[in-house]
Amino acid sequence: MSAAGCIFCKIVAGEIPATVVRRGDGMLAFKDVNPQAPTHLLVIPTHHVASLNDAKDPQLLGRLLGFARDVARDAGVAERGYRVVMNTNPDGGQTVFHLHLHLLGGRPMTWPPG
Ligand code: AMP
């Protein structure tokens, strides 16, 4: 089910363009339009879930994470390493309210995050 006005649902529906790198198993991975690392991909479920707080199905979360791992392998960053981030609600820095993982790689990450 898509949510009216959700940009990631529009990407799933092909209504706005995105550079898709992998799809399947109810998941989609595509390039972030404002990359923060040489590899910056977003991994989403194709049906609308607003945030981690709204994700009632633990299996969905497991599949999302496994999908991101496979995307990292295919992107060639698995061996050197990468980071997955899920921003949740305003204090977490979430700006798009469709559940997504950021997959960041291609450079060393720093800690703590900002
Ligand atoms: P967040 O701030 O965690 O909600 O992340 C939302 C991410 O979506 C940001 O990194 C944006 O750069 C990215 N983004 C927003 N619109 C698009 C789009 N049309 N295509 C690809 N990435 C997008």
Side-chain angles (χ1 to χ4, degrees), residues 7-8 11 16 30-34 40 42 87 93-96 100 102:
I7 56 171
F8 287 178
I11 287 174
I16 59 174
F30 54 95
K31 291 187 178 180
D32 195 295
V33 75
N34 182 24
H40 187 173
L42 299 172
N87 298 326
Q94 185 175 8
T95 59
V96 175
H100 56 280
H102 295 259

Side-chain angles (χ1 to χ4, degrees), residues 9-111:
C9 285
K10 288 182 176 162
I11 287 174
V12 171
E15 292 168 8
I16 59 174
T19 304
V20 171
V21 298
R22 187 180 179 91
R23 73 172 82 231
D25 194 28
M27 305 288 158
L28 189 72
F30 54 95
K31 291 187 178 180
D32 195 295
V33 75
N34 182 24
Q36 302 301 311
T39 297
H40 187 173
L41 302 167
L42 299 172
V43 183
I44 69 170
T46 54
H47 72 275
H48 187 79
V49 177
S51 81
L52 184 57
N53 288 342
D54 301 289
K56 307 301 182 202
D57 178 3
Q59 289 190 356
L60 172 75
L61 297 172
R63 288 194 291 116
L64 188 68
L65 204 49
F67 195 84
R69 177 207 52 211
D70 294 346
V71 167
R73 180 198 61 214
D74 292 351
V77 298
E79 192 169 334
R80 285 188 62 87
Y82 56 93
R83 181 172 290 173
V84 290
V85 174
M86 186 179 280
N87 298 326
T88 303
N89 276 354
D91 274 7
Q94 185 175 8
T95 59
V96 175
F97 286 84
H98 181 127
L99 185 69
H100 56 280
L101 283 177
H102 295 259
L103 168 55
L104 299 146
R107 65 166 170 81
M109 299 292 144
T110 58
W111 194 263

